[in-house]
Amino acid sequence: FETVAGERQNICVVRDVTRQHEALAELRESEERYRIIHELNHNIILLQGNEEGRLLWANSALCDVLGYTTQDIPDATSFFARVHEEDRERVTAVFEHGQAEIGDTSRYEPYRIRHKNGSWKWITSVDTLCENDSGERWTILAVRDVTDAIQAEEDRRKFADRINETQRLESLGVMAGGIAHDFNNIRSGILGFSSYLVNQAESGTGLHRDLTTIVRSAERASQLTRQLLSISRKRLIKKKPVDVHAILY
C-alpha cells in the first residue's frame, strides 16, 4: 500500500497453522487405524501365551468364522487338533519351528480346519512373536478365511477341464466325421461295382455267391459309417432322384 506521504509499504500476515497440521496428521493416523481395523474385521485374531501356549484372548471372528469360543480352544494343542489330518503335520512343523527373536514371523500356507458344525474351512495364518514392557512374550496369530477363494479356484480349474474335454471331443468328432465320409466313399464304390457284377454273373455259380457276399458286407459297413457320423454329430446325406417339376410347381 502507499502512505499519505507517498511511501510504499508491504504488510505480511502470518498465521500459526500448527494445530491444523497436527489435526490433519491425527485424522490421517485415525483413518489409517480405521482402515487396518476394517481389513482385520473378518480375520481371526488370537493372542497366545508364548511359554505355555495358552490362548489368552480372541476376537469375535473366532466364533463368526469357525463357531468356537476360547473355552472350546483353550490352547495351541486343541487348535491344531482341529486341523485336517492331511495338513496337520505341515502346519505343526511351522508352529514348532517357532520364532527366536521379537518380531519374527511365521507364515502358514492354506490349510483346512474343522468348523464347529463339522464342515471344513480353508484358512491361512500368520503369527508374530511380541514382547510387552514387562518382558513377557506372547504370539499374535492372524487367521484369514480363504474358503471362498479356494472354492473359486477349484471351480475355475474344473471349468477349464470341462472346456478342454469339450474341445478334445470336438476334435475327435471332426476326425470321426472325416473318416466316415472317406470310408463311405470307398464303401459306395465297392457296393456299386459288386452290385453291377453280381447282376452279370450267372445265378447259382460260385462267382455269383462270392459277389453276393461282397455286396452284403458293403451294405453292413453302412452301419459303421452311421456310428462314426453319430460321434461327429453329423448325419449322412442320402441322395435320391427327385421330380424337380413337382417341387417347383
Side-chain angles (χ1 to χ4, degrees):
F1 69 96
E2 188 174 287
T3 65
V4 177
E7 296 177 350
R8 292 188 175 185
Q9 303 289 333
N10 293 322
I11 296 177
C12 181
V13 178
V14 180
R15 177 179 295 176
D16 183 3
V17 294
T18 304
R19 290 185 178 180
Q20 286 90 331
H21 278 280
E22 290 177 347
L24 287 173
E26 290 176 358
L27 178 61
R28 284 193 292 268
E29 183 178 351
S30 176
E31 290 175 347
E32 178 66 12
R33 286 198 300 267
Y34 178 79
R35 183 186 65 81
I36 294 173
I37 292 173
H38 177 72
E39 290 179 353
L40 295 176
N41 186 40
H42 300 292
N43 290 356
I44 301 171
I45 307 298
L46 305 175
L47 184 62
Q48 173 192 316
N50 196 56
E51 299 297 332
E52 68 281 5
R54 184 168 54 88
L55 186 62
L56 304 177
W57 177 86
N59 66 350
S60 59
L62 176 64
C63 182
D64 296 339
V65 176
L66 297 178
Y68 298 114
T69 65
T70 52
Q71 287 73 32
D72 298 319
I73 305 180
D75 50 36
T77 301
S78 59
F79 180 85
F80 291 121
R82 290 168 170 81
V83 174
H84 195 285
E85 59 180 7
E86 294 180 1
D87 303 327
R88 191 176 303 148
E89 182 178 355
R90 169 172 58 87
V91 174
T92 53
V94 176
F95 176 77
E96 291 173 356
H97 182 269
Q99 306 92 5
E101 302 295 335
I102 302 300
D104 285 354
T105 299
S106 297
R107 299 183 181 275
Y108 299 79
E109 294 299 320
Y111 57 95
R112 288 160 290 181
I113 189 168
R114 186 182 294 277
H115 190 281
K116 192 170 184 177
N117 63 14
S119 64
W120 291 100
K121 289 282 190 178
W122 280 96
I123 61 174
T124 184
S125 53
V126 177
D127 59 31
T128 304
L129 181 63
C130 303
E131 186 178 65
N132 61 17
D133 295 336
S134 303
E136 296 176 334
R137 292 189 173 189
W138 28 266
T139 300
I140 294 180
L141 180 66
V143 180
R144 172 171 293 182
D145 180 9
V146 294
T147 305
D148 291 342
I150 295 290
Q151 185 60 51
E153 177 62 23
E154 178 65 16
D155 292 342
R156 187 201 64 78
R157 185 191 62 79
K158 289 181 179 179
F159 179 74
D161 290 343
R162 287 197 296 269
I163 292 296
N164 292 335
E165 179 67 13
T166 300
Q167 292 175 342
R168 186 182 70 85
L169 292 176
E170 288 178 352
S171 298
L172 289 175
V174 171
M175 182 177 67
I179 294 174
H181 284 293
D182 290 342
F183 181 76
N184 190 60
N185 290 336
I186 297 172
R187 183 194 68 84
S188 297
I190 296 173
L191 181 60
F193 281 107
S194 59
S195 297
Y196 171 77
L197 292 174
V198 78
N199 291 329
Q200 301 299 317
E202 184 178 351
S203 179
T205 62
L207 177 60
H208 187 274
R209 287 193 297 271
D210 293 340
L211 290 171
T212 301
T213 302
I214 295 174
V215 171
R216 291 174 179 173
S217 297
E219 290 173 344
R220 287 198 300 270
S222 62
Q223 179 63 28
L224 177 59
T225 303
R226 285 192 292 270
Q227 291 175 351
L228 288 172
L229 288 175
S230 67
I231 295 175
S232 65
R233 296 181 179 179
K234 297 179 180 179
R235 292 183 178 179
L236 181 63
I237 299 176
K238 296 181 179 180
K239 297 180 180 180
K240 62 179 181 179
V242 295
D243 185 351
V244 178
H245 187 274
I247 294 176
L248 296 177
Y249 301 101

